[in-house]
Amino acid sequence: YNGENFIRETLERVLRQDYDDFDILICDNNSTDCTVDEIKKVSDSRIRFYQNEKLYSCDHRVRGQPCMQISL
């Protein structure tokens, strides 16, 4: 949530690692900054990006949020 200042560099560093047998699951919890734009600048088939349509609670017991369902 609202990580535009670091998300792109973080993704690029992870993707540059020698080990490449992984997927990155990004669930944006309706950020209000340019986080989504920064994520979309990084093109890689290992990135799976999902965006909540509204802000959901961070409570792990909330099973209704779409990103939580995808990650389970």
Side-chain angles (χ1 to χ4, degrees):
Y1 180 76
N2 288 346
E4 83 174 284
N5 293 330
F6 59 85
I7 189 66
R8 186 172 173 189
E9 180 180 356
T10 300
L11 289 172
E12 289 172 347
R13 286 181 181 216
V14 170
L15 294 168
R16 281 196 306 262
Q17 294 184 38
D18 291 336
Y19 184 78
D20 63 359
D21 186 21
F22 62 87
D23 289 329
I24 299 173
L25 174 62
I26 302 172
C27 292
D28 179 70
N29 201 14
N30 198 26
S31 293
T32 57
D33 63 357
C34 294
T35 298
V36 173
D37 296 331
E38 291 299 309
I39 292 169
K40 290 180 177 180
K41 290 177 183 176
V42 182
S43 177
D44 192 289
S45 62
R46 296 170 288 181
I47 297 175
R48 297 182 352 208
F49 175 63
Y50 301 93
Q51 188 174 14
N52 285 333
E53 294 178 8
K54 66 178 186 173
L55 181 63
Y56 286 92
S57 167
C58 292
D59 188 334
H60 71 280
R61 296 168 293 182
V62 177
R63 298 284 185 224
Q65 81 159 284
C67 287
M68 178 63 76
Q69 293 172 344
I70 291 165
S71 67
L72 295 176

